[in-house]
């Protein structure tokens, strides 16, 4: 969809404010065209001596009333117009947010956070200006131009008008060349701003790492370089926008010289009165606004086109995971993976190969294996963040893709490797999935996650703000708050993706003991590098290079003396050395 089609559709949806604005602008144009004729009549009356001082008050009063009318009409059309154009900005930001919230990890791996933030701010603002001020300024300028030129031609002298308008085609040619330059310069400026925005976002998010590595000066130098590039790109766009004014000025100067030269000759020949020439020169002055409006409109349109060219691909990007399911009710049952394989986009090898298992309701499955063996990839398939390239996944006899994504996400409580906390209180973060939860329910979930005592020692307890991304909490505290949030959700399936890596073994034992005593039929899948986290699981899968190399219970795997047994002996030795 082009920018013109987008704006046209929006105008059709919100035609009333645009129509009212257009009517008000038409009134402004009529009054604007009438004023020079009234002034010309006054001048002719004064020159002829037919207009006395007493008679002068009435036409002057009309001019004052016309000026007041123009003022209120201009205020009125701006109020109507900007209310409408702001709606487009709200609609675009809502669409952008909704689209991004439906996208999966594959989409965000190809996008920069700073760039997406710039789209929601600068780019939407540019489209908003193109739909609002550009449209009405274009209408106002065009209507004024047509009426002024028609009055100059039909009501005064068409020959004088033809002579005076000779420079205008050259100005149109200059406008066309300048608008092309502005389009490319504006696109470059928006992209430079996105790069700057992305750098700022990354630097502030990782400010602890930047300070720890002593990279402050390097980060400042990179920021200065990016800021300079953005400033120079914006300056190039502004320079080309500034080129409109000299083009308009030169055109009007040439038109005025031609009008006064030929108009003076007509007055000398008594083919034109002094008042008519005065009115004609005033009309030439009124052409300043249509010319400036043309430049302003072209600038806004080109900025809007450049911004829409960046926005549209994101709004129209296909969903990383299509939500084509129809089933909205999920009853917990057996979870079955049958010969499942996964290959990430752009990769040459499979992340998962021929993975099969069956997990009964209420059981616990442990996923272990070396780094990069496919543990998190299996969970991503289960969460439908990525689609498998082979095999089937069924829950209670229904394939996962037959459930709606909302139904599936509501049935799964997931604690990722790097838990995310919002800039809110601890209680609000725990109750994120159940905003109506009572304080007693929140505290009970925190006790199960072995974080209640830590929270109680904080200055404001559960009302303590955690800062951006939970920056005021330790890594272990963040993990346990995320576990409490998952437990409070009370979903039938709980996924722990190495969610105990930042806690000590005693706290890990406490949390797992609480899970076993309070899970009440909940199915649990634990992915972990630490084998002690899965030793009580009903079934353990050992993943290596994306496929299952061993399977069984803790006791069964120790007897086989494979990777699991060797890793268990190593971790037990490490734990004993730490204890000593």
């Amino acid at each position: 969809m082009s920018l013109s089609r987008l704006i046209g559709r929006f105008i059709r949806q919100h035609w009333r404010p645009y129509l009212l604005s257009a009517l008000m602008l038409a009134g402004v144009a009529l009054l604007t065209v009438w004023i020079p004729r009234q002034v010309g009549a006054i001048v002719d009356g004064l020159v002829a001596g037919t207009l006395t001082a007493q008679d002068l008050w009435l036409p002057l009063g009309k001019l004052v009333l016309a000026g007041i009318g123009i003022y209120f009409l201009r205020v009125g059309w701006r109020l109507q117009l900007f209310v409408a154009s702001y709606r487009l900005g709200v609609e675009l930001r809502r669409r952008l947010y909704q689209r991004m919230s439906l996208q999966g990890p594959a989409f965000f791996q190809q996008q920069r956070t700073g760039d997406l933030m710039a789209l929601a701010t600068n780019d939407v603002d540019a489209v908003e200006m193109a739909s609002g001020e550009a449209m009405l300024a274009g209408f106002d300028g065009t209507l004024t131009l047509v009426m002024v030129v028609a009055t100059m031609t039909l009501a005064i002298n068409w020959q004088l008008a033809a002579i005076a308008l000779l420079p205008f085609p050259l100005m149109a040619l200059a406008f066309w060349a300048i608008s092309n330059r502005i389009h490319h310069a504006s696109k470059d400026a928006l992209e430079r701003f996105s790069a700057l925005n992305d750098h700022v976002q990354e630097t502030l998010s990782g400010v602890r790492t930047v300070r720890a590595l002593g990279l402050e000066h390097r980060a400042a130098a990179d920021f200065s370089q990016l800021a300079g590039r953005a400033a120079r790109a914006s300056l190039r766009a502004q320079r080309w926008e500034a080129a409109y004014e000299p083009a308009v000025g030169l055109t009007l100067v040439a038109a005025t010289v031609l009008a006064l030269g030929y108009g003076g000759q007509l007055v000398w020949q008594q083919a034109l009165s002094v008042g008519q020439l005065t009115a004609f020169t005033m009309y030439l002055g009124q052409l300043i606004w249509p010319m400036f409006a043309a430049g302003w409109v072209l600038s806004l349109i080109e900025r809007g086109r450049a911004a829409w060219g960046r926005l549209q691909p994101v709004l129209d990007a296909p969903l990383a995971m299509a939500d084509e399911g129809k089933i909205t009710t999920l009853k917990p049952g057996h979870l079955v993976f049958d010969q499942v394989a996964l290959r990430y986009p752009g990769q040459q090898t499979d992340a998962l190969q021929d993975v099969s298992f069956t997990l009964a309701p209420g059981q616990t499955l442990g996923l272990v294996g070396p780094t990069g063996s496919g543990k998190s990839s299996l969970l991503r398939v289960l969460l439908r963040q990525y689609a498998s390239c082979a095999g089937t996944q069924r829950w209670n006899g229904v394939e996962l893709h037959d459930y709606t994504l909302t139904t599936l996400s509501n049935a799964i409580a997931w604690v990722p490797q790097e838990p995310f906390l919002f800039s809110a209180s601890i209680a609000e973060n725990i109750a994120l999935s159940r905003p109506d939860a009572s304080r007693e329910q929140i505290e009970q979930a925190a006790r199960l996650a072995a974080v209640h005592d830590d929270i109680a020692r904080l200055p404001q307890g559960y009302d303590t703000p955690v800062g951006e991304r939970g920056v005021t909490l330790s890594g272990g505290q963040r993990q346990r708050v995320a576990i409490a949030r998952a437990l409070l959700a009370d979903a039938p399936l709980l996924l722990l993706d190495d969610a105990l890596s930042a806690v000590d073994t005693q706290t890990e034992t406490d949390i797992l003991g609480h899970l076993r005593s309070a899970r009440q039929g909940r199915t649990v899948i634990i992915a972990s590098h630490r084998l002690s986290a899965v030793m009580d699981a009903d079934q353990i899968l050992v993943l290596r290079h994306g496929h299952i190399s061993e399977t069984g219970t803790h006791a069964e795997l120790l007897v086989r003396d494979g990777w699991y047994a060797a890793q268990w002996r190593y971790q037990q030795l490490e734990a004993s050395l730490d204890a000593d």
Side-chain angles (χ1 to χ4, degrees):
M1 180 188 296
S2 63
L3 178 64
S4 58
R5 291 185 61 185
L6 171 74
I7 295 175
R9 186 185 67 177
F10 180 77
I11 291 175
R12 288 192 297 271
Q13 293 174 348
H14 304 277
W15 59 271
R16 286 185 178 86
Y18 278 91
L19 179 60
L20 286 174
S21 298
L23 292 175
M24 292 180 187
L25 283 172
V28 170
L30 287 172
L31 291 174
T32 302
V33 170
W34 174 81
I35 288 175
R37 294 199 64 186
Q38 181 73 358
V39 172
I42 294 173
V43 170
D44 283 338
L46 292 174
V47 171
T50 59
L51 193 63
T52 64
Q54 186 175 0
D55 297 333
L56 190 60
W57 286 107
L58 180 60
L60 290 178
K62 292 180 180 179
L63 291 175
V64 172
L65 291 176
I68 295 173
I70 290 174
Y71 169 79
F72 283 105
L73 287 173
R74 287 197 179 278
V75 171
W77 77 256
R78 280 176 169 79
L79 291 176
Q80 289 291 327
L81 168 66
F82 292 138
V83 168
S85 63
Y86 289 157
R87 290 175 185 166
L88 178 59
V90 172
E91 180 181 329
L92 286 176
R93 288 187 175 94
R94 178 182 56 80
R95 285 178 56 192
L96 183 64
Y97 180 81
Q98 289 179 343
R99 195 65 178 177
M100 290 192 296
S101 65
L102 294 174
Q103 292 288 3
F107 170 82
F108 292 100
Q109 287 176 357
Q110 301 173 1
Q111 303 289 337
R112 298 177 303 171
T113 302
D115 191 35
L116 295 175
M117 293 170 62
L119 289 176
T121 52
N122 275 21
D123 293 78
V124 170
D125 285 341
V127 175
E128 183 181 293
M129 290 290 288
S131 69
E133 191 158 338
M135 291 298 101
L136 269 297
F139 176 81
D140 185 22
T142 301
L143 184 61
T144 302
L145 176 65
V146 170
M147 295 185 67
V148 168
V149 172
T151 305
M152 292 166 60
T153 304
L154 302 176
I156 299 180
N157 188 289
W158 70 268
Q159 294 172 322
L160 179 60
I163 294 294
L165 296 177
L166 283 176
F168 282 79
L170 296 176
M171 185 188 68
L173 182 63
F175 275 16
W176 174 79
I178 294 170
S179 64
N180 285 335
R181 297 284 187 173
I182 288 178
H183 175 78
H184 296 294
S186 297
K187 183 178 180 181
D188 183 54
L190 290 171
E191 291 174 350
R192 298 289 186 185
F193 177 79
S194 293
L196 175 64
N197 207 24
D198 190 61
H199 174 77
V200 172
Q201 188 273 331
E202 285 185 346
T203 302
L204 293 180
S205 297
V207 65
R208 287 185 171 182
T209 302
V210 171
R211 290 177 176 173
L213 297 177
L215 299 176
E216 294 95 335
H217 294 295
R218 178 178 173 181
D222 291 341
F223 173 82
S224 179
Q225 186 178 31
L226 290 170
R229 291 174 182 173
R232 287 190 294 271
S234 181
L235 181 59
R236 281 194 296 270
Q238 293 294 330
R239 282 175 177 170
W240 283 110
E241 287 186 15
Y244 283 123
E245 186 171 348
V248 172
L250 290 173
T251 301
L252 290 177
V253 167
T256 302
V257 170
L258 293 174
L260 290 177
Y262 187 65
Q265 183 180 354
L266 292 177
V267 171
W268 181 261
Q269 296 173 354
Q270 297 185 349
L272 195 71
S273 69
V274 175
Q276 288 177 315
L277 181 58
T278 302
F280 191 90
T281 55
M282 291 184 67
Y283 283 128
L284 280 179
Q286 288 185 352
L287 288 178
I288 294 177
W289 160 241
M291 298 305 102
F292 276 114
W296 178 235
V297 168
L298 288 174
S299 174
L300 292 178
I301 291 295
E302 293 305 327
R303 281 182 174 271
R305 283 181 57 204
W308 181 242
R310 286 162 40 82
L311 269 168
Q312 188 177 16
V314 177
L315 292 174
D316 294 343
L319 294 179
M321 182 62 66
D323 189 5
E324 299 175 349
K326 303 297 182 183
I327 301 176
T328 58
T329 302
L330 193 156
K331 296 181 179 179
H334 284 75
L335 183 62
V336 179
F337 270 46
D338 186 14
Q339 302 294 311
V340 172
L342 170 67
R343 178 176 295 183
Y344 290 111
Q347 300 297 316
Q348 301 298 321
T349 58
D350 291 339
L352 294 175
Q353 304 173 19
D354 300 328
V355 175
S356 299
F357 66 86
T358 300
L359 187 62
Q363 288 188 336
T364 298
L365 173 67
L367 300 176
V368 297
T371 301
S373 60
K375 302 183 293 296
S376 296
S377 296
L378 191 151
L379 298 184
R380 291 188 182 114
V381 172
L382 180 56
L383 289 163
R384 291 203 65 205
Q385 294 180 354
Y386 289 90
S388 62
C389 56
T392 59
Q393 311 93 47
R394 298 186 300 276
W395 196 353
N396 196 26
V398 179
E399 293 200 25
L400 292 184
H401 61 73
D402 290 332
Y403 293 108
T404 65
L405 289 177
T406 301
T407 301
L408 194 63
S409 62
N410 289 338
I412 300 176
W414 172 48
V415 184
Q417 293 178 350
E418 298 179 0
F420 187 93
L421 301 184
F422 291 88
S423 299
S425 68
I426 293 177
E428 289 171 329
N429 271 284
I430 295 176
L432 189 64
S433 58
R434 285 182 59 187
D436 58 341
S438 65
R439 179 54 63 91
E440 290 75 16
Q441 292 172 321
I442 293 173
E443 292 181 3
Q444 178 60 24
R447 288 188 177 92
L448 293 177
V451 73
H452 172 75
D453 293 341
D454 290 36
I455 297 174
R457 287 193 290 267
L458 295 174
Q460 301 178 48
Y462 282 85
D463 295 321
T464 302
V466 301
E468 186 176 3
R469 297 175 181 261
V471 68
T472 61
L473 303 180
S474 68
Q477 289 172 331
R478 287 197 297 270
Q479 283 191 334
R480 285 177 285 162
V481 168
I483 292 173
R485 180 167 61 197
L487 294 175
L488 185 62
D490 199 25
L493 177 60
L494 174 63
L495 306 181
L496 301 179
D497 188 1
D498 210 12
L500 300 170
S501 59
V503 300
D504 57 78
T505 53
Q506 182 58 51
T507 304
E508 174 192 275
T509 302
D510 293 341
I511 295 173
L512 294 175
H514 295 159
L515 287 178
R516 286 192 295 271
S517 63
R519 66 185 184 185
Q520 299 176 348
R522 174 184 291 169
T523 304
V524 181
I525 299 179
I526 303 174
S528 177
H529 288 95
R530 196 181 291 171
L531 302 188
S532 59
V534 300
M535 60 182 295
D536 294 321
D538 300 288
Q539 183 181 174
I540 300 173
L541 303 182
V542 179
L543 294 171
R544 302 192 69 182
H545 306 295
H547 66 272
I548 299 176
S549 62
E550 302 174 59
T551 181
T553 63
H554 174 70
E556 293 171 346
L557 291 172
L558 289 181
V559 172
R560 294 174 189 170
D561 201 27
W563 180 92
Y564 185 91
Q567 190 70 12
W568 173 261
R569 289 193 295 270
Y570 172 79
Q571 291 186 7
Q572 291 298 107
L573 176 62
E574 187 179 40
S576 65
L577 292 175
D578 289 341
D580 292 340

